[in-house]
Amino acid sequence: MDMKMCAASDVAKEWDKIDWNKANAYVKKLQMRIVKAHQEGKHGRVKSLQWLLTHSFYARALAVKRVTENRGKRTAGVDGVLWSTPKSKYEAILDLKRKNYKPQPLKRVYIPKKNGKKRPLSIPTMKDRAMQTLYKFALEPIAEVTADPNSYGFRIGRCTQDAIEQCFTSLNKAKSPKWVLEGDIKGCFDNISHEWILNNIPLDKEILRKWLKCGYIETGKLFPTKQGSPQGSAISPVICNMVLDGLEAKLKAKYHKTKIKGKAYFPKVNFIRYADDFIITGETKELLENGVLPIVEEFMAERGLELSKEKTVITHITDGFDFLGCNIRWYKDKLLTKPSKKNYKAIVDKVRSIIKSNATCRQEDLIRQLNPVIRGWVNYQKYNVSHEAFARFDFDVWRSLWRWCYRRHPKKGKKWIAKRYFRQIGTRSWTFCATTEDGFALKLIYATDTHITRFLKTKSEATPFNSRWEEYFEERDTKRMMREIKGRKKINALYKMQNGICPHCNERITIERGFRIHTTLGKDYKERHYLLHADCHRKIHYSIENDELALLEQQGL
């Protein structure tokens, strides 16, 4: 990208001219070179490539794009600045410079936790978020290749279901370990040693120190940050992962297959971690208590961390344990993963809260609020043994909706209410359904309509920053997508016709990014359908709305 563009009169247009596919390819290529140099032990080369990446136009542009398109794009830091226009975004690219950079204090807010306590969340300014995202591009490749094989949190191409599937793999056989250490770190993000981070994280030390020591503002006062990596910062998850990486290797070094008195001995110590939640399996309770736990505590102490004595427990697999919203338990002759009671209660309470807070809204509006919530939970739990939970969930939702209907019409009979709000669709006679102004039948999503399927786990050794794994990730994404759209004829046909590519951004359509069907009229006034990324679909409609508003303004309406 020619840097003379910064002097263009119409800066807003320059943002739209950026070739994002070229930008992604450029950054990905540099990241792969960083991985290769790191694996060859060329640390000076790694630093040079990191400097090149963090000073490149395309990397800075992608950093600005990330922070202006994620969920926090409308949340400002202490300076109150938001980058909401193409002009401000392009100017932000040119302003991302290491020279004379000084991060501003974090804005401290508190979000409620399930146990009634509050979790501190620190919000950086837009510029600081962009700078952290930029340096995250340089750090993430090293974090990936040095990560524990069975670490799944905050990693590209991995998710909670990978961790749950690994738990199943480690515990599902008759000869598998029967004891599980459930580990919980006390205030992980808030207590990490700054000294350890600065001595062990391979990133620009000056920039890293500025972020760690920038402080936070609460009730109008500035407080120093003497320890921890603040929750809410773009680079904190990567730093947290690198802090906790190495524990699996330490356990494997001591507990591996050995021979005692000529006989093979299997300690059966397996380690699975998602962010700061982890489990360790063992053959006996004594092995976990007297052997594994001291190693974990020593490892954490070196990093300024400690385990929560209340939440760190050792459980037998027949009693089961909760991990990432699932209950994993041995039933007579097999292991099953089901939605946990806490997870089920949380989703039911959320649905009931939405229904109660919309006592007077239209049926159509209520359905539009409920469907995304239900869809999200169902898509998360559909990889587990969730048939009974789905059936119970549908009944609980129906019961709440029936009360909602009855309160609206206390003087009407039950048959009238049923006919007014419910109808038969397919084999389901009690479908909560409304007719929109366009004559479209908008129905509530039911959990039992979703097929239970097995999750396709990512290989532990696979990394997206190594060229030999590129084909593997493409095939995996395609397989997952085909399994997701199986039986959905229209989406399946569009996906195959487009070769799995979004026509708006020319990138692959994946489950992680989501997908939507976009309908438009051709020159022959016939409808055309396209399968787009969910965010690309929103952009198109946002653009259309802006064009319509501009036209109305020109007409003086």
Side-chain angles (χ1 to χ4, degrees):
M1 178 72 63
D2 188 357
M3 292 306 294
K4 291 180 181 179
M5 291 176 66
C6 63
S9 57
D10 192 357
V11 180
K13 291 182 180 179
E14 304 302 339
W15 173 263
D16 297 323
K17 289 181 181 179
I18 298 174
D19 187 341
W20 296 111
N21 289 328
K22 189 175 179 180
N24 279 308
Y26 179 83
V27 171
K28 186 73 174 289
K29 185 178 180 180
L30 277 178
Q31 288 175 323
M32 288 183 171
R33 289 174 65 187
I34 289 171
V35 167
K36 185 179 179 182
H38 182 270
Q39 290 174 334
E40 293 174 353
K42 299 177 181 178
H43 301 297
R45 183 67 174 162
V46 169
K47 288 183 179 180
S48 298
L49 289 169
Q50 285 183 327
W51 189 95
L52 183 62
L53 177 59
T54 54
H55 287 73
S56 69
F57 176 85
Y58 281 132
R60 288 183 290 153
L62 277 177
V64 173
K65 187 174 187 286
R66 291 275 179 93
V67 302
T68 55
E69 292 183 357
N70 61 16
R71 292 183 178 180
K73 62 185 177 182
R74 295 188 180 90
T75 305
V78 293
D79 60 356
V81 174
L82 291 175
W83 298 335
S84 55
T85 64
K87 180 177 181 293
S88 61
K89 293 175 185 178
Y90 192 82
E91 288 174 344
I93 297 173
L94 307 176
D95 193 36
L96 289 186
K97 297 177 182 178
R98 181 185 184 279
K99 187 177 181 180
N100 299 325
Y101 169 68
K102 185 179 179 180
Q104 296 190 52
L106 306 164
K107 183 170 74 173
R108 177 62 62 91
V109 296
Y110 291 89
I111 53 176
K113 296 171 67 175
K114 293 179 182 178
N115 57 8
K117 297 181 180 179
K118 292 186 177 181
R119 176 184 288 112
L121 186 68
S122 301
I123 303 172
T125 62
M126 293 294 284
K127 182 177 179 179
D128 292 338
R129 270 178 262 174
M131 282 293 285
Q132 290 180 11
T133 303
L134 177 62
Y135 278 83
K136 178 184 173 183
F137 291 153
L139 180 62
E140 204 165 30
I142 300 175
E144 273 294 318
V145 295
T146 58
D148 286 338
N150 290 305
S151 164
Y152 299 97
F154 307 125
R155 293 183 63 190
I156 298 173
R158 288 166 173 79
C159 62
T160 53
Q161 287 300 335
D162 284 296
I164 295 167
E165 186 66 21
Q166 182 60 33
C167 288
F168 182 83
T169 303
S170 301
L171 297 164
N172 70 339
K173 301 177 184 65
K175 294 182 179 179
S176 295
K178 295 294 184 283
W179 290 92
V180 176
L181 168 67
E182 302 173 61
D184 186 272
I185 304 170
K186 187 184 295 184
C188 180
F189 279 88
D190 301 326
N191 296 309
I192 302 172
S193 167
H194 282 183
E195 184 181 353
W196 193 95
I197 293 174
L198 291 170
N199 292 336
N200 294 275
I201 301 297
L203 196 66
D204 189 316
K205 303 301 180 186
E206 184 180 339
I207 294 290
L208 193 55
R209 184 178 287 103
K210 286 179 179 179
W211 285 332
L212 294 174
K213 304 295 184 182
C214 67
Y216 65 90
I217 290 179
E218 185 179 359
T219 62
K221 296 180 180 179
L222 177 64
F223 295 88
T225 46
K226 298 179 180 179
Q227 59 185 14
S229 182
Q231 296 186 60
S233 297
I235 203 169
S236 286
V238 181
I239 291 175
C240 181
N241 264 344
M242 296 189 77
V243 168
L244 298 177
D245 284 333
L247 180 55
E248 183 174 3
K250 201 166 187 177
L251 291 170
K252 289 293 182 184
K254 183 172 183 179
Y255 296 103
H256 54 273
K257 179 182 175 181
T258 57
K259 284 189 176 181
I260 299 177
K261 295 181 180 180
K263 294 183 179 180
Y265 171 68
F266 297 89
K268 301 177 183 178
V269 174
N270 301 298
F271 177 85
I272 301 107
R273 178 171 67 84
Y274 186 90
D276 58 341
D277 292 325
F278 64 89
I279 68 157
I280 303 173
T281 66
E283 187 181 23
T284 64
K285 185 177 182 181
E286 291 72 22
L287 174 70
L288 295 175
E289 276 183 346
N290 304 322
V292 171
L293 192 56
I295 294 175
V296 176
E297 289 175 337
E298 181 186 353
F299 179 88
M300 295 299 171
E302 291 173 1
R303 290 149 176 78
L305 301 171
E306 63 176 321
L307 296 177
S308 170
K309 293 182 180 179
E310 298 175 355
K311 298 181 181 178
T312 300
V313 294
I314 298 174
T315 311
H316 196 272
I317 193 63
T318 54
D319 296 326
F321 63 96
D322 290 348
F323 187 58
L324 302 175
C326 296
N327 180 261
I328 304 170
R329 182 180 171 188
W330 188 272
Y331 293 84
K332 293 184 179 178
D333 59 345
K334 58 186 174 181
L335 186 80
L336 298 179
T337 62
K338 298 181 178 182
S340 68
K341 291 181 179 179
K342 288 182 179 179
N343 182 265
Y344 181 82
K345 185 178 184 301
I347 185 62
V348 171
D349 288 347
K350 186 173 183 179
V351 169
R352 286 172 178 166
S353 175
I354 293 172
I355 293 172
K356 287 181 179 179
S357 60
N358 289 276
T360 59
C361 77
R362 296 186 304 169
Q363 184 184 11
E364 174 188 343
D365 296 333
L366 180 61
I367 293 173
R368 291 189 190 279
Q369 287 191 55
L370 289 175
N371 275 352
V373 176
I374 296 172
R375 185 186 292 112
W377 182 76
V378 169
N379 285 341
Y380 183 83
Q381 295 290 357
K382 70 180 179 181
Y383 302 109
N384 302 308
V385 183
S386 305
H387 181 74
E388 290 182 6
F390 283 178
R392 188 168 73 251
F393 176 76
D394 282 347
F395 175 73
D396 285 339
V397 173
W398 174 86
R399 185 164 54 183
S400 296
L401 289 172
W402 179 257
R403 290 171 181 166
W404 180 83
C405 299
Y406 194 78
R407 280 195 298 267
R408 290 162 70 93
H409 307 283
K411 296 183 180 180
K412 295 289 185 180
K414 294 181 180 179
K415 288 185 178 180
W416 185 94
I417 294 173
K419 188 176 180 181
R420 169 68 175 78
Y421 292 100
F422 298 87
R423 67 178 70 174
Q424 181 164 349
I425 297 179
T427 57
R428 189 185 296 278
S429 56
W430 283 83
T431 303
F432 193 69
C433 185
T435 303
T436 64
E437 295 176 356
D438 302 330
F440 175 73
L442 181 66
K443 70 183 187 72
L444 188 76
I445 290 174
Y446 285 89
T448 47
D449 290 339
T450 301
H451 296 288
I452 306 296
T453 183
R454 192 67 180 270
F455 183 77
L456 187 65
K457 183 184 173 293
T458 305
K459 291 183 179 179
S460 298
E461 66 273 20
T463 170
F465 299 113
N466 193 321
S467 56
R468 75 186 185 94
W469 289 105
E470 280 187 310
E471 188 177 344
Y472 165 76
F473 276 103
E474 287 183 4
E475 289 179 359
R476 177 182 174 278
D477 288 341
T478 302
K479 285 180 182 177
R480 287 187 64 199
M481 190 68 187
M482 294 305 295
R483 290 173 68 174
E484 180 73 16
I485 63 178
K486 184 180 178 181
R488 302 165 74 174
K489 295 181 180 179
K490 188 173 182 179
I491 294 177
N492 204 321
L494 289 172
Y495 181 80
K496 290 179 179 178
M497 183 181 70
Q498 298 171 195
N499 294 319
I501 302 296
C502 172
H504 184 259
C505 65
N506 293 321
E507 294 181 11
R508 296 188 66 81
I509 299 173
T510 60
I511 295 175
E512 283 75 17
R513 288 190 63 178
F515 50 88
R516 299 286 186 273
I517 295 176
H518 178 65
T519 305
T520 184
L521 287 175
K523 294 181 179 179
D524 56 356
Y525 296 101
K526 290 184 178 179
E527 285 189 349
R528 301 282 191 274
H529 302 286
Y530 303 96
L531 193 65
L532 306 176
H533 288 122
D535 54 339
C536 292
H537 188 248
R538 284 193 296 270
K539 286 179 188 175
I540 288 175
H541 280 277
Y542 179 74
S543 176
I544 291 171
E545 288 172 4
N546 283 351
D547 291 343
E548 290 175 350
L549 287 170
L551 183 62
L552 290 172
E553 287 176 1
Q554 289 176 5
Q555 295 173 351
L557 299 176

